[in-house]
Amino acid sequence: RPRLFSGMQPTSDSLHLGNYLGALVQWVAMQEQFDPIYCVVDLHSLTLDTDPKVLRQRTRVTAAQYLAGGIDPARSAVFVQSHVAGHSQLAWVLSCITGFGEAARMTQFKDKSARHGQDGANVGLFTYPILMAADILLYDAAKVPVGEDQRQHLELTRNLAQRFNSRFGQTFVVPEPYIVKATAKITDLQEPTAKMSKSAESQNGVIDMLADPKVVAKRIRSAVTDTEREIRFDEEAKPGIANLLRIYSALAGESIPELEERYAGKGYGDLKKDLAEVVVGVVEPFRARALALLDDPAELDRILADGADRARQLAEVKMARVYDRVGILAPQ
Ligand code: ATP
Ligand code: MG
C-alpha cells in the first residue's frame, strides 16, 4: 500500500472545523488504501511563542483528536514529530539545497510574518516549509492529504525531492498533494474570504471541535452573510453563504444543489438554525471521544510511543542513506 503522510500543529486547544473537514476526514477515509503516518508536528509550532506547559498539553490534545476523528492506530502510525530525530536532521540537509529566494516566495510566510511586523517574525517561520518537506520526504510519502493553503509548500517539497534526486541520485519519492476541492478551504465565519485558522486574531469566526456545543451553535447563528435573501452557492458574490453550504454539504453528505433546492424561498436564519444542529451533531460526540481519551493519558502515550517506534525505524534507514548520499562520513 502506498505511503501517506500528514500532520497538524498543536497550536491551539482544539482543532477547528477546517482542520477536521480539510484534513482529518480525508485522513480517516484514506486509511483503507494507504499506509498512513499521521504526525503531531510540535516542532513546527515552536514558530509560535507558546507557554511550554501549554504546548505539551496541546500536543496530547491534538493526538487525542486524531483518534477521536477515527484514526485507527492499528492501521496508521500516530506520533509526535520531535520523538523522531530524523525530521530535524533532514530539514537541515534540505535547507542547504533550498534557495533563499525560493523560500522567500512562500505566501504563508509572507502572511504570517506580516502579522508579526518585519522584525517580529522568527527564522523558524521562514524555514517552516523546509521542515515540512523533511516530514514528508523522510517517509517516502506518495500522497499528502492537506488543505488548499498547503499547495505551495507541497510544490516546494516536490522541487526539493527532484533536486536532491538529480544531484545525489534517486533517494526520495516525489509526493503528490491530495486536496479535496469541496472542503479544501473552509473559511472564517466572520471573515468568509479568509481561511478558518487556529492562529486567527479573532476566534469568533472559528468553530472549535472541542468547543461547548452552545458556543458552536451561537457562532453558526452569528455567521456573516450578505444583504440578499437568496440561498445559493456563489463563492464570489456570497462567500458567507457559500461557506455555510459547503460545511453543511460535507457534514450531512448532501450535495449543494440538493441543499439549494431544499432552502429555496427560505431565510438565512432557517439555514443557520439547521446547520447549527448538523454541526453540533458532529462536534458533540467528537468532543466526548477526545475527552475520554485525554482521561487516560497513559494509554494515549503508549499509542504515541508505538507510533514513534514505527516511524523511527523508517526514518533512521532514510537518514543514513541521505547522509551517505551527500558525503557525511559515517561514524565508525
Ligand atoms: P495555523 O493558523 O496555526 O497555521 P491551521 O489552522 O492552518 O493553523 P495547521 O495545523 O497549520 O492548522 O493545518 C493542519 C491541516 O489543516 C493542514 O492540512 C491544513 O491544510 C488544513 N487546514 C487548515 N485550515 C484549513 C481550512 N480553513 N480549510 C481546510 N483545511 C484547512
Ligand atoms: Mg497552518
Side-chain angles (χ1 to χ4, degrees):
R1 290 184 296 161
R3 176 76 38 74
L4 198 85
F5 178 93
S6 200
M8 303 205 213
Q9 302 189 73
T11 39
S12 92
D13 296 327
S14 172
L15 298 182
H16 56 69
L17 196 55
N19 301 136
Y20 179 75
L21 287 176
L24 192 49
V25 167
Q26 269 35 270
W27 294 11
V28 171
M30 293 173 94
Q31 287 183 113
E32 307 286 327
Q33 290 123 13
F34 290 88
D35 172 18
I37 299 188
Y38 295 132
C39 189
V40 179
V41 290
D42 57 345
L43 296 173
H44 282 276
S45 60
L46 294 179
T47 54
L48 234 67
D49 183 12
T50 311
D51 179 282
K53 277 205 292 293
V54 171
L55 178 57
R56 252 189 292 279
Q57 174 60 10
R58 286 177 173 176
T59 300
R60 277 211 187 95
V61 170
T62 303
Q65 291 176 94
Y66 291 1
L67 304 174
I71 299 301
D72 172 8
R75 288 170 196 249
S76 304
V78 178
F79 72 103
V80 177
Q81 183 187 32
S82 60
H83 296 180
V84 177
H87 294 255
S88 322
Q89 294 167 340
L90 183 55
W92 175 255
V93 175
L94 293 177
S95 74
C96 297
I97 64 161
T98 308
F100 191 88
E102 190 176 30
R105 276 197 296 277
M106 297 294 116
T107 55
Q108 178 175 287
F109 170 72
K110 290 190 220 170
D111 293 347
K112 288 193 173 180
S113 61
R115 280 187 237 157
H116 294 271
Q118 189 81 68
D119 300 324
N122 57 63
V123 176
L125 206 53
F126 185 71
T127 55
Y128 180 113
I130 302 172
L131 178 57
M132 176 169 160
D135 299 338
I136 296 163
L137 300 182
L138 194 54
Y139 300 108
D140 285 329
K143 290 242 190 296
V144 185
V146 285
E148 183 61 42
D149 60 318
Q150 295 304 320
R151 190 185 288 280
Q152 194 188 30
H153 291 164
L154 250 298
E155 202 45 47
L156 176 70
T157 304
R158 289 169 55 82
N159 289 338
L160 293 179
Q162 278 157 348
R163 187 173 309 154
F164 191 101
N165 287 346
S166 70
R167 229 178 259 181
F168 300 107
Q170 181 59 41
T171 307
F172 296 122
V173 169
V174 180
E176 303 262 356
Y178 181 85
I179 300 175
V180 176
K181 203 160 169 281
T183 51
K185 188 181 174 190
I186 302 298
T187 61
D188 187 285
L189 298 182
Q190 289 299 318
E191 204 184 321
T193 52
K195 95 170 184 84
M196 194 178 279
S197 178
K198 289 200 225 95
S199 50
E201 248 158 63
S202 160
Q203 291 293 302
N204 289 334
V206 176
I207 299 291
D208 279 338
M209 297 300 293
L210 299 182
D212 183 327
K214 285 200 203 78
V215 174
V216 170
K218 184 158 169 273
R219 286 196 181 162
I220 301 272
R221 284 196 309 269
S222 39
V224 165
T225 51
D226 53 62
T227 53
E228 291 181 15
R229 283 149 185 273
E230 206 188 343
I231 297 177
R232 63 187 163 84
F233 189 89
D234 182 339
E235 188 69 72
E236 293 294 309
K238 301 162 75 70
I241 291 295
N243 194 41
L244 296 180
L245 288 171
R246 186 167 33 231
I247 293 170
Y248 201 143
S249 166
L251 290 179
E254 290 176 68
S255 75
I256 289 188
E258 270 166 6
L259 292 172
E260 284 174 328
E261 198 173 320
R262 172 125 58 89
Y263 285 97
K266 294 197 178 165
Y268 290 174
D270 300 315
L271 174 68
K272 287 178 175 179
K273 187 170 147 291
D274 294 349
L275 177 58
E277 256 174 55
V278 169
V279 176
V280 167
V282 172
V283 165
E284 214 165 28
F286 179 93
R287 181 182 192 233
R289 284 193 297 273
L291 295 182
L293 286 155
L294 288 165
D295 254 356
D296 188 0
E299 169 65 5
L300 188 58
D301 290 348
R302 196 195 55 72
I303 291 169
L304 294 176
D306 179 56
D309 285 343
R310 285 155 68 190
R312 202 177 295 115
Q313 280 179 20
L314 299 166
E316 281 176 356
V317 172
K318 188 55 118 189
M319 265 328 287
R321 188 170 166 86
V322 167
Y323 278 159
D324 181 60
R325 289 286 199 200
V326 299
I328 298 288
L329 177 66
Q332 304 301 314

